[in-house]
C-alpha cells in the first residue's frame, strides 16, 4: 500500500472508530473521506477569530458543499487541530518552544494566527496565505514564525516542480 493510501485508510479508520460518518467530496459521489460536519474533523470547534481568518483567506477552506477542511486528510484541519488549542490558552510561547523556534526560556511569542497573507511583490497577482503564524513581541529578533502545514501532499501522485524561478529572482531576497 502506498503512503498516501495508508494515511487515508488510517484517517478513515479513525473516523469509523469515533462513530463519524464519512461522505464523498460531492456528498453521495466521490471517495468517502469528508465528515458531514466540520466540527467532526476538529478536536475543538473553530473559535471566532480562527474562523474569520479562514474566511478571509484565499484557500476556500470553509466554503462549498463539503468544505476542504472537512476532509480527513485536510492540512488546514491539521493546522487547527495542532495550533488553535495553544492559542486558546494564550500559550503560543509553549508551542513555539516545542517546535524548536526558540530557547526554552524565551517567552516572546504572543499569539497564533491562521491563513495570514504576506505580500511578496506587486508583480504577483495575489499574496500567499501562510497556514500558521506565531506572532512575537515587537522587541523580538524575529517578528513571526511561519509554518506551512502539509498532511498528504508529499505522498500523492502529483508531481511538483519545486519553487518557481520568479519567486527566487526578487530583489528582496
Amino acid at each position: 500500500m502506498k503512503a498516501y493510501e495508508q494515511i487515508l485508510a488510517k484517517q478513515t479508520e479513525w473516523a469509523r472508530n469515533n462513530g463519524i460518518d464519512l461522505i464523498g467530496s460531492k456528498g453521495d459521489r466521490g471517495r468517502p473521506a469528508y465528515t458531514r460536519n466540520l466540527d467532526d474533523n476538529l478536536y475543538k470547534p473553530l473559535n471566532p477569530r480562527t474562523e474569520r481568518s479562514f474566511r478571509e483567506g484565499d484557500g476556500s477552506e470553509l466554503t462549498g458543499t463539503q468544505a476542504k477542511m472537512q476532509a480527513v486528510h485536510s492540512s488546514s484541519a491539521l493546522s487547527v487541530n495542532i495550533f488553535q488549542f495553544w492559542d486558546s490558552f494564550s500559550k503560543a510561547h509553549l508551542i513555539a518552544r516545542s517546535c524548536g523556534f526558540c530557547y526554552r526560556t524565551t517567552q516572546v511569542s504572543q499569539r497564533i494566527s491562521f491563513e495570514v497573507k504576506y505580500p511578496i511583490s506587486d508583480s504577483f497577482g495575489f499574496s500567499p496565505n501562510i497556514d500558521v503564524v506565531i506572532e512575537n513581541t515587537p522587541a523580538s529578533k524575529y517578528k513571526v514564525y511561519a509554518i506551512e502545514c502539509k498532511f498528504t501532499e508529499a505522498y500523492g501522485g502529483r508531481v511538483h516542480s519545486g519553487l518557481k524561478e520568479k519567486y527566487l529572482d526578487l530583489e528582496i531576497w
Side-chain angles (χ1 to χ4, degrees):
M1 183 180 291
K2 292 187 177 184
Y4 178 80
E5 294 298 325
Q6 185 172 4
I7 293 168
L8 280 180
K10 290 292 185 184
Q11 289 302 101
T12 302
E13 181 181 3
W14 163 82
R16 187 175 44 253
N17 290 342
N18 286 283
I20 298 169
D21 189 30
L22 296 179
I23 57 177
S25 60
K26 305 290 185 219
D28 60 349
R29 293 189 344 230
R31 183 181 198 154
Y34 290 73
T35 59
R36 287 193 182 276
N37 303 300
L38 175 60
D39 288 350
D40 287 343
N41 203 30
L42 301 175
Y43 293 135
K44 299 276 186 188
L46 292 174
N47 67 41
R49 190 169 68 85
T50 301
E51 182 175 351
R52 187 173 50 255
S53 295
F54 277 101
R55 292 211 183 276
E56 291 172 356
D58 298 323
S60 303
E61 297 294 337
L62 301 178
T63 59
T65 308
Q66 272 67 54
K68 292 179 186 177
M69 198 181 286
Q70 287 175 245
V72 294
H73 55 281
S74 165
S75 294
S76 60
L78 176 72
S79 71
V80 169
N81 285 333
I82 294 172
F83 294 98
Q84 180 181 251
F85 169 82
W86 297 99
D87 189 53
S88 65
F89 291 102
S90 299
K91 301 290 184 190
H93 65 283
L94 293 178
I95 193 69
R97 288 189 292 204
S98 296
C99 289
F101 295 139
C102 54
Y103 295 114
R104 295 180 70 197
T105 56
T106 304
Q107 294 203 17
V108 299
S109 298
Q110 295 182 308
R111 74 182 214 174
I112 299 170
S113 298
F114 297 88
E115 291 296 294
V116 180
K117 293 181 184 184
Y118 277 94
I120 295 176
S121 165
D122 291 339
S123 65
F124 291 91
F126 64 94
S127 298
N129 295 281
I130 304 299
D131 291 338
V132 179
V133 173
I134 300 176
E135 300 171 25
N136 297 326
T137 62
S140 174
K141 178 179 178 182
Y142 301 103
K143 301 305 177 207
V144 298
Y145 302 124
I147 302 163
E148 189 65 21
C149 294
K150 300 297 178 200
F151 198 165
T152 58
E153 290 86 346
Y155 305 104
R158 293 184 181 164
V159 176
H160 194 281
S161 59
L163 199 56
K164 293 180 180 165
E165 200 62 38
K166 66 180 183 178
Y167 291 101
L168 301 173
D169 288 341
L170 296 172
E171 289 183 28
I172 60 172
W173 309 128

